[in-house]
């Protein structure tokens, strides 16, 4: 008896739902042509329209006489591939891996504000917010070594042995967005602080803030900062008081500006290259040791896809001790032979403090292929 009553109730519920669905369909406004085409399109076409694939490889030849020893070698520095899936018009997911190293990024973005980009949230593993250069792709940065000494050290790209090689990335959560019709941009993030593909090695989180003012087209002023705690995985010669497995204060700051005369024509770097000038002063504190420095980089388009590149870069790894500074002077040319593809040739003279070793020369040639 109970089974019959239950079956009858289920039947009535199903009929009611079917009636409501039929009524809703009857009252629904006629579908637009775009909606009709999307509904009638094969599933694989819709899937393909929502997924974007990109990648690039950078490799070449390097000669130097660092530490009094000549060295020359061919190299393959980066082979990155990533896929971005647009789940809805406000929700997306990205996965990036470097076939020559490790998984680099995986995160999801969601735009909270429905009609503007004022408030977005990102969760996962991604580039941290520090400095002007770190969030930029190596495919558009001018140096074969990608970033200046200070950016490489302070953002965790690899020259700080205490923090390890983390490619300027970390695990965490951030909110970001554009305000005042794009004249102001912000990022606020809470990060693990231990780098990529790694659990947090202490219970303290790192807090980062990035503010950008864009008063006119092509010009931006950028300030970034971090308050956090590091966990040493190795020791460094310029900061010997921090031992392996020590938790230590790890703060960072930067202030700089970038000006571009002209604009990229979409992704067609060859046809739409700007004359650009970028300068930044930056520093940090690890335990009781302060570091600071700055750089200025200029790129001048010459003719037919050829740019002249020049960079002056200074960084002092320990401002309270003598001999830990280094100045790099770089000049070179780059030739954009097809869209995002280029050839680079650069010469660097490194002037080193006594503790950094003797001065040396570095000659690099690199080819970049990207899509």
């Amino acid at each position: 008896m109970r089974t019959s009553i239950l079956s009858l109730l289920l039947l009535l519920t199903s009929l009611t739902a079917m009636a409501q669905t039929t009524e809703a369909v009857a009252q629904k406004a006629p579908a637009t042509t775009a909606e009709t085409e999307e509904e009638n399109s094969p599933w694989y076409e819709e899937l393909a329209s929502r997924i974007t694939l990109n990648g690039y490889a950078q490799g070449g030849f390097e000669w130097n006489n660092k530490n009094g020893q000549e060295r020359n070698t061919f190299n393959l520095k980066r082979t990155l591939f990533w896929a971005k899936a647009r789940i809805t018009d406000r929700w997306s997911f990205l996965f990036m891996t470097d076939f020559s190293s490790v998984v680099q990024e995986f995160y999801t973005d969601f735009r909270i504000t429905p009609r503007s980009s004022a408030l977005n949230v990102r969760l996962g593993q991604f580039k941290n917010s520090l400095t002007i250069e770190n969030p930029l792709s190596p495919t558009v940065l001018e140096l074969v070594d990608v970033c200046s000494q200070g950016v490489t050290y302070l953002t965790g790209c690899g020259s700080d042995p205490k923090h390890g090689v983390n490619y300027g990335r970390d695990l965490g959560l951030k909110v970001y967005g554009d305000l005042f019709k794009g004249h102001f941009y912000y990022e606020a993030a809470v990060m693990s602080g231990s780098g990529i593909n790694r659990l947090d090695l202490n219970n303290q989180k790192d807090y980062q803030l990035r503010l950008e003012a864009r008063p006119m087209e092509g010009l931006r002023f950028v300030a970034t900062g971090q308050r956090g705690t590091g966990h040493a995985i190795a020791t460094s010669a310029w900061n010997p008081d921090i031992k392996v497995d020590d938790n230590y204060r790890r703060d960072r700051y930067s202030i700089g500006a970038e000006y571009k005369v002209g604009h990229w024509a979409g992704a067609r770097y060859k046809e739409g290259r700007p004359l650009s000038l970028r300068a930044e002063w930056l520093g940090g504190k690890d335990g009781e040791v302060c570091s600071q420095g700055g750089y200025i980089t200029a790129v001048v388009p010459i003719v037919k896809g050829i740019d002249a590149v020049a960079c002056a870069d200074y960084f002092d790894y320990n401002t309270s001790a003598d001999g830990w500074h280094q100045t790099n002077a770089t000049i070179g040319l780059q030739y954009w032979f097809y869209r995002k593809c280029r050839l680079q040739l650069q010469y660097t003279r490194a002037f080193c403090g006594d503790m950094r070793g003797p001065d040396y020369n570095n000659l690099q040639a690199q080819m970049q292929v990207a899509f």
Side-chain angles (χ1 to χ4, degrees):
M1 182 66 179
R2 290 181 180 177
T3 303
S4 301
I5 294 174
L6 180 60
S7 301
L8 181 61
L9 289 174
L10 290 174
L11 178 61
L12 290 174
T13 302
S14 301
L15 291 174
T16 302
M18 291 175 60
Q20 290 175 343
T21 301
T22 304
E23 182 180 359
V25 170
Q27 293 177 354
K28 183 179 179 181
T32 64
T33 303
E35 290 173 339
T36 302
E37 290 178 353
E38 184 174 355
E39 289 175 359
N40 295 332
S41 63
W43 66 268
Y44 51 84
E45 289 186 5
E46 181 180 352
L47 179 64
S49 69
R50 292 178 176 271
I51 296 178
T52 304
L53 304 178
N54 294 98
Y56 69 88
Q58 292 177 327
F61 179 83
E62 180 176 6
W63 170 91
N64 62 55
N65 61 347
K66 192 172 183 180
N67 296 321
Q69 297 181 346
E70 268 195 37
R71 176 176 176 269
N72 68 83
T73 181
F74 289 98
N75 57 59
L76 180 62
K77 292 190 174 182
R78 299 166 196 89
T79 52
L80 275 83
F81 176 82
W82 65 96
K84 183 175 183 179
R86 179 177 59 86
I87 303 170
T88 70
D89 63 338
R90 296 166 60 186
W91 182 23
S92 65
F93 176 81
L94 182 141
F95 176 84
M96 175 188 291
T97 188
D98 187 341
F99 292 111
S100 63
S101 60
V102 296
V103 173
Q104 299 280 309
E105 299 183 14
F106 51 91
Y107 61 81
T108 183
D109 275 321
F110 183 75
R111 177 165 52 86
I112 296 175
T113 46
R115 301 185 184 278
S116 73
S117 57
L119 182 58
N120 308 267
V121 63
R122 175 174 294 180
L123 175 64
Q125 179 169 288
F126 45 86
K127 282 191 173 183
N128 61 54
S129 302
L130 297 173
T131 75
I132 296 177
E133 287 189 332
N134 186 58
L136 298 176
S137 169
T139 60
V140 299
L141 285 167
E142 304 83 6
L143 299 183
V144 173
D145 287 333
V146 181
C147 296
S148 69
Q149 298 177 86
V151 173
T152 301
Y153 179 78
L154 295 169
T155 62
C157 286
S159 60
D160 180 5
K162 300 185 305 303
H163 191 62
V165 181
N166 289 291
Y167 310 97
R169 294 170 169 89
D170 200 0
L171 285 154
L173 171 72
K174 79 173 178 180
V175 293
Y176 64 97
D178 289 299
L179 302 174
F180 309 116
K181 298 182 179 180
H183 290 295
F184 185 82
Y185 174 79
Y186 71 93
E187 293 183 8
V190 54
M191 314 294 287
S192 285
S194 295
I196 64 173
N197 306 326
R198 183 186 298 161
L199 295 177
D200 199 350
L201 298 177
N202 55 48
N203 290 324
Q204 292 80 36
K205 298 295 176 284
D206 288 5
Y207 301 94
Q208 298 176 351
L209 181 66
R210 180 187 185 91
L211 302 175
E212 290 191 22
R214 302 166 179 172
M216 58 181 288
E217 202 168 13
L219 176 64
R220 59 174 177 157
F221 299 96
V222 182
T224 72
Q226 171 183 297
R227 181 79 172 178
T229 303
H231 182 91
I233 62 171
T235 59
S236 65
W238 54 87
N239 197 344
D241 292 337
I242 297 176
K243 309 299 183 182
V244 175
D245 290 330
D246 282 353
N247 292 326
Y248 63 96
R249 178 179 179 181
R250 188 172 184 271
D251 300 339
R252 271 86 178 104
Y253 72 88
S254 74
I255 183 168
E258 184 179 55
Y259 182 52
K260 293 184 176 183
V261 182
H263 291 280
W264 304 100
R268 300 174 182 268
Y269 303 161
K270 177 176 170 58
E271 294 83 359
R273 306 179 331 275
L275 183 152
S276 68
L277 181 66
R278 182 171 61 255
E280 196 166 20
W281 185 259
L282 58 171
K285 189 168 187 178
D286 296 277
E288 298 302 318
V289 172
C290 294
S291 55
Q292 65 179 15
Y295 69 88
I296 181 168
T297 302
V299 181
V300 181
I302 303 174
V303 65
K304 294 183 179 179
I306 299 176
D307 300 337
V309 176
C311 177
D313 173 20
Y314 167 83
F315 194 69
D316 191 340
Y317 294 80
N318 185 338
T319 59
S320 61
D322 294 332
W324 287 111
H325 59 277
Q326 180 172 326
T327 301
N328 294 341
T330 301
I331 58 172
L333 295 172
Q334 60 184 10
Y335 171 54
W336 298 93
F337 59 90
Y338 182 74
R339 296 192 178 183
K340 299 181 181 181
C341 304
R342 64 178 168 177
L343 298 171
Q344 296 170 277
L345 179 64
Q346 292 176 7
Y347 165 74
T348 300
R349 175 66 175 177
F351 304 92
C352 303
D354 295 337
M355 301 303 293
R356 296 287 295 170
D359 300 347
Y360 65 92
N361 303 290
N362 195 33
L363 182 65
Q364 299 181 90
Q366 180 170 272
M367 180 175 68
Q368 168 184 304
V369 179
F371 65 92

